Amino acid sequence: MHRAHVIDVGAPRDTPQGRTRTGTKQHLRPAFAGRYSSLSRRFFGSIIQNQFSTTVAPQRQIILCYSLNSSSHIPVPPATQDLLSLRPSPLQPPCTAEYRIFCWHGINTPPPSTIEHPVIQFLANVSNQASLRETTSYGSGLRKFHVFCDIFSISEADRLPASFEVLHSFALWAAVPFEPVSVSVARKYLSAIRAWHLAQGWPPPLSPEHFTRINWSLRGMENLQGTRRRPVRPPITLQMLTAIKATLRTDQPFDACLWAMSSCAFFGMMRFGEVAVNARASFDKSKHITRKDVFLRVDLAGKPYTRLNLPRAKTAKSGETQSVFIVEQGDLCPIQALRNLAEVVPALPDDPLFSWRDNKGLVRPMVKTRAIESINSILTAWNWGTTFGHSFRIGGASFYLANKVDPEIVCIAGRWKSLAYETYIRAFEQVATQHLGGLASNHTSHA
């Protein structure tokens, strides 16, 4: 039994901050059992839900919470079946990517870096853990390094510390078809190995001269690769978004969540990593958006909009909150999608915003791979091709540009720091006629 209590958290920060079955395996979703009458059917309780119909922005935020027992632990990802799997080892215990540079060890003892005093050593450990703001990408590179070492029988003693010969070989291997990545990613892998050495108490493994030699080799690999690039990511179009909504049963938990994240990702030009998690266990309320990070506001024209506060974003500085602003959009309205999500999937303030309840009543964050698989099954049934998570961000930007929204507004709304957003507009053929068509005929009519 949950015990309810009301918390006044003060004024919120206002800083810039019926399924159409067209296939036999169109969508897999656990059945929703029960109405969960013991839980509030709102994001933050009945008081907050009333904000959705008000015309005046609230001065204080009142949330209805439920007392739950929780414990902190290092999350363990679900088992995966990669083509190049990592050999199990007690030196590399299962954990999510962000913890690997701290939890994965070697058999050698690093040299001392401080005096042997408990206070100094405690401070060294604390500063070591806090030195990096984002370590997930380092974890990916570290895993690739250990896969390489397993394949080529590099002993544990030769992995930490790693020699120039080992790391040079690893960089070459990573950039060729054994485990193909771009040369720039291979360089990031080397940065991950360097960070791992430092986190484990070892000096940097490569000297400037070593980097010069490895870069020489990688430049050659880059020339051999030629102009190979990542495949073009197709955009989600307004027609696709309409098909997704028409297919989903938004009165069911999984589908309600899938529709809300699809609509918000499109109209909010959000990265898919901002609306989904890599694994169920990887959800972290300090990094991912929660139910309490949603705020209804009214602009100067008296029109409602919703602000989504992102605790962490790709282009944000450490500790900076970025905000996504979504407005009413007719039948595909993301605000209405969030209202529906609040009704169908009741949850606590610290639960994931984009979450659903399984048949046991457990709140589960939406996992990226499952969301993409579900969306692609729908689009395939409607005779469209495969899309990717970033397709929503690309599609949203293309949609606004096609409707003559000023590019600077698109840049601000999409939280691009520069005109880098232009690299995402790969669907120009979808909007070219609206921007360029009819110009010649206008001139000839006056001739």
Side-chain angles (χ1 to χ4, degrees):
M1 173 70 86
H2 301 302
R3 185 177 180 182
H5 59 280
V6 176
I7 298 178
D8 183 348
V9 297
R13 293 176 59 186
D14 202 5
T15 56
Q17 13 170 224
R19 179 187 304 276
T20 301
R21 296 190 180 276
T22 53
T24 57
K25 295 183 178 180
Q26 183 174 349
H27 186 52
L28 300 177
R29 168 181 38 79
F32 178 65
R35 301 289 291 179
Y36 302 101
S37 58
S38 63
L39 294 176
S40 168
R41 298 183 58 76
R42 303 291 187 264
F43 280 135
F44 322 117
S46 59
I47 296 177
I48 288 302
Q49 178 61 25
N50 290 337
Q51 293 180 14
F52 282 110
S53 59
T54 185
T55 57
V56 180
Q59 296 302 311
R60 303 187 70 79
Q61 181 186 4
I62 309 296
I63 59 180
L64 181 63
C65 301
Y66 290 84
S67 299
L68 295 175
N69 293 326
S70 61
S71 59
S72 59
H73 64 282
I74 296 176
V76 177
T80 58
Q81 295 182 347
D82 296 336
L83 294 177
L84 295 176
S85 60
L86 184 66
R87 186 178 304 161
S89 169
L91 294 173
Q92 294 101 45
C95 63
T96 51
E98 60 188 306
Y99 293 100
R100 288 174 188 158
I101 67 170
F102 302 113
C103 296
W104 287 10
H105 305 284
I107 62 174
N108 298 317
T109 302
S113 60
T114 65
I115 60 176
E116 293 186 7
H117 189 280
V119 173
I120 298 299
Q121 291 177 340
F122 170 77
L123 293 174
N125 288 333
V126 170
S127 63
N128 183 43
Q129 296 280 335
S131 60
L132 296 173
R133 181 170 64 91
E134 177 56 58
T135 58
T136 301
S137 59
Y138 286 152
S140 301
L142 184 56
R143 181 189 177 281
K144 293 290 177 62
F145 174 67
H146 283 287
V147 169
F148 161 80
C149 291
D150 288 345
I151 291 174
F152 291 94
S153 301
I154 306 298
S155 68
E156 291 288 353
D158 292 329
R159 301 185 189 191
L160 186 67
S163 66
F164 160 70
E165 292 79 10
V166 169
L167 293 181
H168 188 191
S169 303
F170 168 61
L172 290 170
W173 171 82
V176 296
F178 295 110
E179 179 77 327
V181 297
S182 67
V183 167
S184 62
V185 172
R187 292 191 176 100
K188 291 180 180 178
Y189 286 171
L190 292 176
S191 297
I193 307 307
R194 181 180 186 275
W196 182 49
H197 277 68
L198 294 173
Q200 294 296 319
W202 292 94
L206 297 174
S207 67
E209 291 76 15
H210 290 154
F211 271 115
T212 299
R213 181 65 184 87
I214 292 177
N215 281 327
W216 176 271
S217 296
L218 290 179
R219 189 180 305 119
M221 296 304 301
E222 197 167 33
N223 292 336
L224 291 174
Q225 289 179 355
T227 59
R228 186 194 70 170
R229 297 191 178 190
R230 177 183 296 178
V232 173
R233 299 172 182 176
I236 289 288
T237 65
L238 208 62
Q239 292 77 15
M240 291 179 181
L241 201 64
T242 301
I244 291 172
K245 184 183 180 183
T247 305
L248 294 172
R249 293 175 57 186
T250 56
D251 61 337
Q252 300 297 316
F254 186 91
D255 285 13
C257 178
L258 193 62
W259 170 241
M261 66 189 299
S262 297
S263 182
C264 289
F266 182 88
F267 290 109
M269 293 179 286
M270 300 177 71
R271 301 174 181 87
F272 220 63
E274 296 168 346
V275 297
V277 296
N278 291 327
R280 179 182 179 183
S282 66
F283 172 75
D284 185 339
K285 65 181 180 180
S286 67
K287 301 176 182 178
H288 304 107
I289 189 168
T290 64
R291 295 292 176 99
K292 69 175 183 293
D293 296 321
V294 181
F295 301 93
L296 178 73
R297 291 290 182 265
V298 177
D299 64 16
L300 295 177
K303 296 182 179 181
Y305 69 92
T306 297
R307 190 183 78 228
L308 309 180
N309 283 352
L310 303 177
R312 178 174 294 184
K314 181 179 179 180
T315 57
K317 298 178 181 178
S318 178
E320 177 187 9
T321 298
Q322 281 193 355
S323 296
V324 177
F325 300 94
I326 56 177
V327 299
E328 294 179 325
Q329 296 288 353
D331 293 338
L332 303 177
C333 182
I335 297 178
Q336 181 57 41
L338 289 174
R339 286 188 184 131
N340 181 69
L341 180 61
E343 290 284 344
V344 178
V345 187
L348 300 174
D350 285 332
D351 284 333
L353 171 58
F354 299 104
S355 55
W356 56 287
R357 286 183 180 271
D358 60 20
N359 55 6
K360 296 180 180 179
L362 299 177
V363 175
R364 302 183 61 172
M366 181 60 74
V367 176
K368 180 178 179 179
T369 53
R370 186 170 183 187
I372 294 300
E373 288 172 358
S374 300
I375 291 169
N376 281 336
S377 69
I378 294 173
L379 297 181
T380 300
W382 284 73
N383 297 319
W384 279 301
T386 300
T387 62
F388 302 87
H390 231 60
S391 298
F392 287 89
R393 184 165 166 84
I394 299 169
S398 299
F399 165 75
Y400 288 123
L401 291 175
N403 284 275
K404 306 298 191 296
V405 176
D406 191 306
E408 291 187 4
I409 299 299
V410 174
C411 188
I412 293 172
R415 295 165 291 123
W416 282 284
K417 295 297 184 180
S418 66
L419 292 182
Y421 79 94
E422 293 175 346
T423 63
Y424 291 87
I425 312 305
R426 301 192 183 99
F428 189 72
E429 63 182 284
Q430 305 290 335
V431 301
T433 59
Q434 299 184 51
H435 285 288
L436 307 177
L439 297 179
S441 62
N442 291 338
H443 286 284
T444 55
S445 63
H446 297 290

